[in-house]
Amino acid sequence: AGADTSAAPDTYVDLRDPPRDKVSSLLDIAVHLEKVSEACTVLASKSAVSASSLAAHQVRALLEHTFTVTLPLPAPLSEPAPFCPWGVARFDPVDIEVQRRIAAAIS
């Protein structure tokens, strides 16, 4: 009792309350995808200390929530939405670093 457990990986990710960050720009999307990527890494590390199928299901649930609920679908070019963070790139220059962050987070 009272032994140091710092060698055990911190594998807690709260899936009951996934990030509900409001995404209103490509930078917001990049930041949110980086958070999701970190959470997926933590969840994947759980396979060493728990059933790997459980960790895989948790990763899938987080990704499903991210791409179906949190991040808006891009508006069609023929019918632009009043506001679509993906469509901002058509009108405003997008920083190459933001593009790299998004690409790195989803790779």
Side-chain angles (χ1 to χ4, degrees):
D4 185 17
T5 59
S6 60
D10 182 15
T11 58
Y12 179 74
V13 174
D14 189 358
L15 293 176
R16 293 173 302 126
D17 187 25
R20 287 179 174 76
D21 301 338
K22 187 72 175 164
V23 292
S24 59
S25 69
L26 288 176
L27 180 59
D28 291 344
I29 290 171
V31 169
H32 184 78
L33 288 174
E34 288 169 344
K35 289 179 187 177
V36 168
S37 179
E38 282 182 38
C40 286
T41 301
V42 170
L43 289 170
S45 70
K46 288 176 87 167
S47 63
V49 293
S50 67
S52 61
S53 62
L54 174 64
H57 287 300
Q58 290 174 329
V59 167
R60 281 189 214 104
L62 180 58
L63 292 174
E64 178 183 347
H65 183 272
T66 297
F67 288 103
T68 60
V69 177
T70 305
L71 297 181
L73 291 173
L77 292 176
S78 60
E79 301 173 21
F83 177 77
C84 175
W86 301 104
V88 172
R90 293 189 318 215
F91 307 109
D92 296 329
V94 178
D95 186 3
I96 189 71
E97 288 305 314
V98 172
Q99 293 177 23
R100 287 182 179 147
R101 287 175 69 178
I102 290 172
I106 60 175
S107 63

